[in-house]
């Protein structure tokens, strides 16, 4: 038996797999449904092995019917099960928005609290995979805009496992979004049982001069930027909200008040995206502490191009974040 | 556990006859309820609009009387009939339609979103076709949990235009789920005749997915009930999904505000369905012919229903609105 | 013959009708498709009369298939027609997001400029109609987040007609959103031909002390608030972006720089909504001119409740906007 | 205006025989093109992935040879074959797959989004079922504009799971639109056999919407071509939509990276389709049996195709990437 404190290095993919396996063992109401989730373990192989342990009744291969499986998930969740609906690419959220926004998110409220929808909709985000415009989007801003949905964006193996377990145990619909590019990223994960609560941001690096708020894939970009900045003698604090809804505004604002400067980085398109909300929360609440305007870096406002030299320009990089930070620190 | 019809028959002690009388009472209750809703609208006493079920009572009552209390239904924007037939209380329904705290959804849902979880009603739905996935998921859940519950999905002819219906019928068929898709073909999608927007033969659609499909006269509650009993039993014993096409008609407008209808349907058509094809008159006539009931019995049932409804309406009108602060409650469980 | 300068008072509904009739007459490639658009003229009757003049080939009643008609519109637009796809309630955008965001918005870019999609997707927004959670949403933030889409929110009869004509003539997909509650609002509309360009904001009222940026239904709310404020001796400027994409940032920023205070009001949900983008644009670009934080007013982050006393609290009102403005003017 | 087959037959001067030889050449070109794509991936010379059409050549060639240049097609993630069969140039296709400026989409689309408007190809599509609406709209447009153009919608068995297919088939049937829905049933949705996710009989689905539906051996280009000619003529003369089910097989993985396939399909199955059921071998054998061509003729055709492809690939490899600044071009027209 392993002591709860024993820690291993796992990839995000392994951590996610453990989170699923533990919750499937813990609660027989939990099941997974999606395209090629069983034998194939999804095209990304992250779930490979689950069907062997839990069988095809609980790891269910579905037709290519995103709207249908989302709707089926809502009905199953209302009637005593805890479905995890797997939507391969975040780009296919386009097909489930009705079941997600008009049904899952609103049923509890519309029924005056009678119906509950403990559903997890698992999907992905991220570009630079050379997958072009319909397989590279980061659409978290859409779902974060819908009252009644919780939105989770893990950035480390530890958070991925702990947040997934909380999402599955939550009595509300939760959209859980993994970065397609970072499943191989490794990090420490304790042996024992733990969860990470939804709605609590995490300071990934402590600093004094500028706050870098990053989500999902952009947390790593911010940490790399912090390294570059350190070389220039600029001390950057990196804050990961971890969940967009509920949003831990206080931790973001406190950090910005401390440093007086903030940059917000998200891989979704910049306009009307997640960075707009985070930046305006900071700009409004930390107004009297800011030495410079809050800067936003998001994906370029263009469909994601296939051609590598074009695609590489669409996503924020550590160098661009660092440059923006240097610029801010020169100001005021 | 017994079905509503069995239970009622037993209670009324009159066996089958009692069940038919009970359906007469249930249909009459829906009819009167909707007439009062129409009056509330015309008297500007009800916020918003409502889609009346008048003329279609035999479908909800025929189907729901074949269900157990723990069976599920999903409903539509035209959902009052389904809700009442599945066992909802008149007073709390009126309260919901008036946006009152005592309503089934504390006034937050209103006419198009009444849910009555205790009686297995997973909610009316204002998205055409929006509940087809929910009903299919409830059936998936019943099967997964090893119960013998059945889910009934009510939807109109207009929902035949929504792709999700075909996505979920495919899964229901593949996995042999205990769901009955009940299509209420009342001839119109809002203001457009269904033949103008529906290609092919309706029954061929479920059949294309390997789903057993049956058509009945939706004005004949006995025919609807018989078909429903068979399809529900089929689902309950694990023989999978089915599709019940009920040909019916809404006697009023698409919603309470739709009063000038000449541009999309004829008075003659309306009169035929309001007269010779009225489901309550049809059942009443049959009950009298069969000697099951005489005019007084039926009148007495109607009076009883009317009393229930007037008491319920009085309660609802007097009931308080929710506290303003409740607006932010119930967003999350 | 009427002189171009002759002006009538029209309702927004009449102005929209005129815009459609004129463009249908002017260009035979234009057609309208949607549920109950022909004989019924939509449930809102705004299009009543078009089918009599243009016939059922050009005013096409469709099945209740939002995704299907949107997709059909994209294909028709790629091949020489100029479709207007009518989506009755903005809440049903949930059903067309794939055709809108993955197909219409991206085809021009993905094809390297070869394919064009001159499509107008016409829909509605707005609560307080006692229509409950699935018929009351204002989802403009979703479509404004999608590169390749233009998003138009008219607030007056003049703008509604002029912007609709520009939208129909535009070679790109345009989402044109009308407020369900304001079709009866009247205003001056010239007899003659005119258009209003997409991407140009309009200052609806000139003021000195505070800038009120309002969209669609909220423009009127801001104008009423300005009246209330005038009574308190506060001079408010009201700016209407008119189109969210392209967004006329300069006009917003210039006004905020002049007044030093800004409040942004939109009827969509507040979190991750349109107000976040507009507020952060102003907060970033007007930073050194602001005397107080930019304030945001949007719909409460709850599904829209049916019960009138609850629903009435969810939408910004003139009194709440005025109160926020007074509060801002006390600050700094 | 003449169809590709007619035009080629005329050019080659050999009448029908010439047309078959031309299809042999076209199928061989697709085969060799895809083999080179696979090599590019294995040699890490191509960004991203690609879904090879190897084994399905008879479908694209048999159908597109029944089309005019101004007829429309919509394609899928497995679209190289459709694109070539509709007349695209090998060099510019390779350039697109490599993300080069000279590509059909200036490198912005890549394998899953190649469009060739000049030849009526409205684009490959990376959303399963995503182009069904576009093809239906193109047919609507052709009819509205009074041309006699036809639109062909290619999609895989997996797209049968997408609701939008049923929404648009309903409209195509209602309005008698000139569209042919071509379902390429290659037995798999990615890694799942279609029978595990497809209830009922496929042909019953279009038929349920009143759409004429036909099934052919997708490995027999002559059968596919004959069926396509009939269905295209039908659409062109105003007799409305149809559905062509082509039974076929992808000889390689779902995409170039899918090499270990034992967990979802057997070697034996692959070998049968790669051998006895290979569409190019089948046509070649028939041409020889009929005395239309001998081994040398076929070898010569293959050599010519190989030369064309190698020249095209050389061009594409040498071609420049787009200028970085182009990233913000083409967002709006
Ligand atoms: C997805 C969607 N599209 C459009 C509407 C607007 N709408 C409400 S009811 C209705 C007609 C529904 O017709 P049908 O399904 O036959 O039901 P009926 O009203 O006849 O009972 C329409 C189009 C809607 N609520 N949802
Ligand atoms: C809407 C949607 N869901 C899922 C996917 C992921 N995906 C890409 S190809 C594919 C399988 C498609 O199978 P089929 O339609 O039979 O085409 P085939 O690959 O066999 O040619 C899937 C599920 C997608 N691209 N789009
Ligand atoms: Mg109907
Ligand atoms: Mg396939």
């Amino acid at each position: 038996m392993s002591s709860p404190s024993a820690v291993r290095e796992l990839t995000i993919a392994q951590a996610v797999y453990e989170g699923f396996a533990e919750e499937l063992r813990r609660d027989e109401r939990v099941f997974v449904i999606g395209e090629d989730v069983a034998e194939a373990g999804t095209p990304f192989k992250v779930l490979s092995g689950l069907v062997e342990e839990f069988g095809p009744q609980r790891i269910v291969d579905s037709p290519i019917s995103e709207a249908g499986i989302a709707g089926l998930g809502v009905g199953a969740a209302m009637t005593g099960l805890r479905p995890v609906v797997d939507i391969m690419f975040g780009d296919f959220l386009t097909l489930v928005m009705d079941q997600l926004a008009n049904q899952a998110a609103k049923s509890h409220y519309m029924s005056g609290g009678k119906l509950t929808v403990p559903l997890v909709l698992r999907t992905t985000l991220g570009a630079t995979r050379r997958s072009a415009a319909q397989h590279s989007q980061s659409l978290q801003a859409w779902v974060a805009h819908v009252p009644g949905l919780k939105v989770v964006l893990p950035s480390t193996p530890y958070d991925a496992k702990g947040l997934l377990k909380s999402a599955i145990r939550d009595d509300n619909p939760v959209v859980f979004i993994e970065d397609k590019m970072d499943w191989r990223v490794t990090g420490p994960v304790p042996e024992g049982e733990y969860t990470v609560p939804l709605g609590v941001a995490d300071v990934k690096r402590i600093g004094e001069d500028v706050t870098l708020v990053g989500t999902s894939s952009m947390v790593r970009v911010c940490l790399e930027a912090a390294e570059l900045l350190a070389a220039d003698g600029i001390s950057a604090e990196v804050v990961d909200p971890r969940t967009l809804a509920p949003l831990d505004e206080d931790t973001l604002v406190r950090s910005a008040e401390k440093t007086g400067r903030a940059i917000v980085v998200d891989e979704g398109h910049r306009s009307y995206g997640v960075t707009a909300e985070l930046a305006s929360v900071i700009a409004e609440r930390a107004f009297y502490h800011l030495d410079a305007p809050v800067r936003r870096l998001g994906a370029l406002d263009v469909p994601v191009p296939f051609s590598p030299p074009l695609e590489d320009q669409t996503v924020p990089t550590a160098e661009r974040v660092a440059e923006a930070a240097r610029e801010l620190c020169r100001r005021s | 556990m017994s079905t509503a019809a069995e239970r009622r028959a037993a209670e009324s002690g009159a066996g089958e006859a009692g069940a038919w009388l009970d359906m007469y009472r249930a249909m009459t209750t829906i009819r009167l309820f909707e007439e009062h809703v129409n009056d509330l609208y015309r008297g500007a006493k009800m916020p918003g609009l409502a889609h009346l079920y008048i003329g279609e009572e035999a479908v909800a009552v025929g189907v729901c009387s074949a269900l157990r209390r723990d069976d599920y239904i999903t409903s539509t924007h035209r959902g009052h009939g389904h809700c009442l037939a599945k066992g909802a209380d008149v007073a709390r329904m009126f309260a919901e339609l008036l946006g009152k705290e005592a309503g089934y959804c504390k006034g937050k849902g209103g006419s198009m979103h009444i849910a009555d979880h205790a009686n297995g009603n997973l909610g009316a739905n204002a998205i055409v076709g929006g509940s087809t996935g929910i009903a299919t998921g409830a059936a998936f859940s019943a099967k997964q949990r090893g119960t013998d519950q059945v889910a009934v999905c009510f939807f109109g002819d207009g929902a035949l235009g929504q792709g999700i219906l075909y996505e979920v019928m495919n899964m229901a068929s593949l996995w042999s789920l205990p769901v009955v898709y009940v299509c209420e073909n009342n001839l119109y999608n809002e203001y457009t005749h269904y033949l103008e927007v529906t290609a092919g033969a309706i029954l061929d659609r479920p059949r294309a997915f390997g789903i057993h499909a049956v058509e009945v006269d939706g004005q004949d509650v006995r025919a609807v009930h018989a078909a429903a009993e068979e399809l529900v039993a089929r689902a309950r014993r694990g023989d999978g999904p089915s599709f019940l096409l009920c040909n019916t008609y809404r006697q009023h407008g698409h919603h309470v505000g739709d009063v000038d209808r000449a541009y999309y349907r004829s008075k003659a058509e309306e009169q035929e369905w309001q007269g010779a094809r009225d489901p309550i008159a049809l059942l009443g006539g049959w009950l009298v012919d069969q000697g099951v009931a005489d005019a007084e019995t039926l009148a007495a049932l109607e009076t009883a229903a009317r009393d229930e409804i007037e008491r319920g309406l009085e309660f609802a009108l007097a009931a308080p609105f929710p506290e303003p602060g409740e607006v932010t409650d119930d967003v999350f469980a």
Side-chain angles (χ1 to χ4, degrees), chain A, chain B:
Chain A
M1 276 313 300
S2 59
S3 78
S5 57
V7 170
R8 305 101 1 113
E9 281 285 310
L10 296 186
T11 63
I12 289 180
Q14 291 167 323
V16 167
Y17 182 89
E18 272 195 1
F20 271 111
E22 289 177 12
E23 293 306 301
L24 282 156
R25 273 180 218 123
R26 176 176 178 274
D27 184 347
E28 65 176 10
R29 298 170 302 173
V30 177
F31 73 100
V32 179
I33 185 167
E35 296 146 23
D36 299 298
V37 294
E39 283 67 27
T42 80
F44 310 115
K45 306 300 173 199
V46 175
L47 304 189
S48 294
L50 287 182
V51 73
E52 285 71 14
E53 177 173 355
F54 302 99
Q57 297 308 314
R58 296 182 66 196
I59 311 298
V60 184
D61 273 337
S62 77
I64 306 173
S65 304
E66 284 77 8
I69 59 177
L72 184 147
V74 175
M78 283 180 178
T79 55
L81 296 183
R82 294 185 160 270
V84 177
V85 174
D86 186 280
I87 301 294
M88 205 180 288
F89 285 82
D91 310 70
F92 313 152
L93 282 173
T94 52
L95 294 159
V96 302
M97 291 310 282
D98 191 65
Q99 291 302 313
L100 203 53
N102 280 333
Q103 310 300 341
K106 295 177 171 47
S107 293
H108 187 67
Y109 191 86
M110 294 192 302
S111 67
K114 295 265 188 22
L115 300 167
T116 59
V117 184
L119 169 82
V120 172
L121 190 130
R122 174 191 185 231
T123 191
T124 57
L125 61 73
T128 68
R129 211 164 149 271
R130 314 317 182 201
S131 305
Q134 294 173 339
H135 281 62
S136 304
Q137 294 167 88
S138 302
L139 295 173
Q140 50 271 30
W142 284 358
V143 285
H145 185 49
V146 180
L149 296 181
K150 297 187 178 182
V151 181
V152 182
L153 297 178
S155 69
T156 67
Y158 179 90
D159 289 349
K161 179 178 176 180
L163 290 166
L164 176 63
K165 288 163 70 82
S166 295
I168 291 173
R169 297 180 193 185
D170 198 281
D171 284 332
N172 300 286
V174 179
V175 181
F176 188 88
I177 309 179
E178 297 163 41
D179 174 9
K180 292 187 292 289
M181 299 302 290
D182 285 347
W183 275 309
R184 289 198 194 70
V185 168
T186 59
V189 176
E191 281 282 350
E193 162 77 19
Y194 73 94
T195 61
V196 174
L198 308 185
V200 181
D202 187 42
V203 176
K204 298 293 190 197
R205 175 183 175 125
I206 293 175
E208 301 307 322
D209 304 330
V210 60
T211 296
L212 307 179
V213 178
T215 63
S216 185
S217 51
M218 295 297 109
V219 173
R220 243 168 315 288
V221 165
C222 290
L223 288 168
E224 290 164 32
E227 285 299 323
L228 299 174
L229 291 166
D232 309 350
I234 296 175
S235 160
E237 178 148 299
V238 176
V239 182
D240 176 358
R242 295 199 291 200
T243 61
L244 298 181
L247 178 65
D248 177 359
E249 293 191 3
D250 294 349
T251 301
L252 271 58
V253 170
R254 230 181 287 110
S255 176
E257 286 176 346
K258 178 179 77 174
T259 63
R261 295 178 177 77
I263 297 177
V264 180
V265 193
D266 174 77
E267 196 172 343
H269 294 299
R270 185 176 188 279
S271 292
Y272 302 92
V274 164
T275 60
E277 178 68 23
L278 304 186
S280 53
V281 163
I282 293 170
E284 181 169 351
R285 292 189 46 193
F287 183 78
Y288 297 100
H289 300 72
L290 290 177
D291 302 322
V294 180
R295 288 291 315 280
R296 299 158 54 197
L297 277 77
L300 274 187
D301 289 322
V302 306
V304 178
F306 167 71
S307 188
L310 300 186
E311 184 181 29
D312 289 341
Q313 298 177 70
T314 63
V315 177
T317 59
E319 193 29 71
R320 283 184 212 124
V321 173
E323 187 40 49
R326 292 186 200 101
E327 215 268 310
L328 270 197
C329 293
R330 276 194 294 275
R331 290 242 213 139
S332 87
Chain B
M1 201 167 171
S2 60
T3 69
E6 290 159 3
R7 216 162 43 248
R8 289 163 170 165
E11 289 158 8
S12 66
E16 211 197 57
W20 298 132
L21 287 174
D22 230 26
M23 291 189 212
Y24 185 87
R25 160 73 185 261
M27 287 164 68
T28 304
T29 302
I30 294 170
R31 173 72 51 97
L32 293 170
F33 181 90
E34 296 290 58
E35 284 172 355
H36 283 70
V37 171
N38 201 31
D39 293 343
L40 285 169
Y41 169 78
R42 299 225 310 287
K45 291 210 186 73
M46 178 180 70
L49 299 169
H51 305 81
L52 305 182
Y53 200 66
I54 291 177
E56 308 189 25
E57 296 90 346
V59 178
V61 170
V63 170
C64 292
S65 56
L67 297 177
R68 297 192 319 218
R69 182 158 192 257
D70 70 335
D71 288 328
Y72 299 110
I73 68 166
T74 63
S75 173
T76 70
H77 58 283
R78 196 175 304 287
H80 305 166
H82 310 134
C83 194
L84 287 165
K86 194 64 171 65
D89 167 61
V90 165
R92 297 188 57 200
M93 277 186 67
F94 274 126
E96 188 59 36
L97 267 56
L98 296 175
K100 303 299 184 73
E101 173 72 30
Y104 272 103
C105 310
K106 304 183 197 162
K108 283 176 170 159
S111 168
M112 293 203 290
H113 300 292
I114 303 188
D116 175 15
H117 197 259
N119 284 306
N121 180 351
L122 300 179
N125 207 302
I127 300 298
V128 167
S131 69
T132 56
I134 294 171
T136 307
F140 180 94
S141 166
K143 185 170 186 179
Q144 189 93 311
R145 289 180 290 108
T147 76
D148 65 350
Q149 292 164 289
V150 171
V152 167
C153 181
F154 288 103
F155 58 89
D157 46 286
L160 294 167
Q162 291 287 315
I164 189 173
L165 172 64
Y166 306 96
E167 296 188 4
V168 297
M169 285 201 299
N170 183 48
M171 290 187 271
S173 180
L174 285 168
W175 302 328
S176 189
L177 303 180
V179 54
V180 182
Y181 298 98
V182 177
C183 180
E184 301 178 308
N185 181 5
N186 61 7
L187 305 187
Y188 297 89
N189 298 194
E190 269 187 358
Y191 317 106
T192 301
H193 196 281
Y194 87 100
L195 288 175
E196 291 173 34
V197 291
T198 314
I202 292 175
L203 289 182
D204 287 347
R205 298 190 182 190
R207 286 174 182 156
F209 294 85
I211 291 180
H212 176 62
V214 183
E215 179 168 13
V216 291
D217 175 357
Q219 305 311 85
D220 177 351
V221 71
R222 294 176 303 118
V224 173
H225 181 73
E229 292 239 298
E230 184 218 318
L231 300 180
V232 169
R234 205 169 179 287
R236 211 181 295 288
R237 66 174 179 263
D239 290 347
S242 56
F243 187 102
L244 179 61
L245 174 59
C246 300
N247 297 309
T248 184
Y249 196 78
R250 58 167 160 81
Q251 291 181 9
H252 285 235
H254 171 61
H255 56 63
V256 286
D258 173 29
V259 285
D260 304 321
R261 303 185 286 270
Y263 74 90
Y264 72 89
R265 70 187 200 184
S266 71
K267 263 252 148 299
E269 180 185 277
E270 293 191 349
Q271 278 157 357
E272 184 204 344
W273 288 87
Q274 288 162 355
R277 309 203 53 184
D278 180 80
I280 297 178
L282 284 169
L283 176 59
W286 179 83
L287 288 169
V288 172
D289 294 349
Q290 300 294 308
V292 175
D294 55 18
E296 290 84 72
T297 327
L298 301 186
L301 286 175
E302 175 168 342
T303 311
R306 194 177 291 282
D307 294 348
E308 178 192 3
I309 284 180
E310 272 153 15
R311 277 196 313 279
L313 181 53
E314 236 169 80
F315 163 84
L317 286 166
F321 282 109
E323 289 304 316
E326 292 181 38
V327 68
T328 50
D329 298 345
D330 302 320
V331 177
F332 290 106

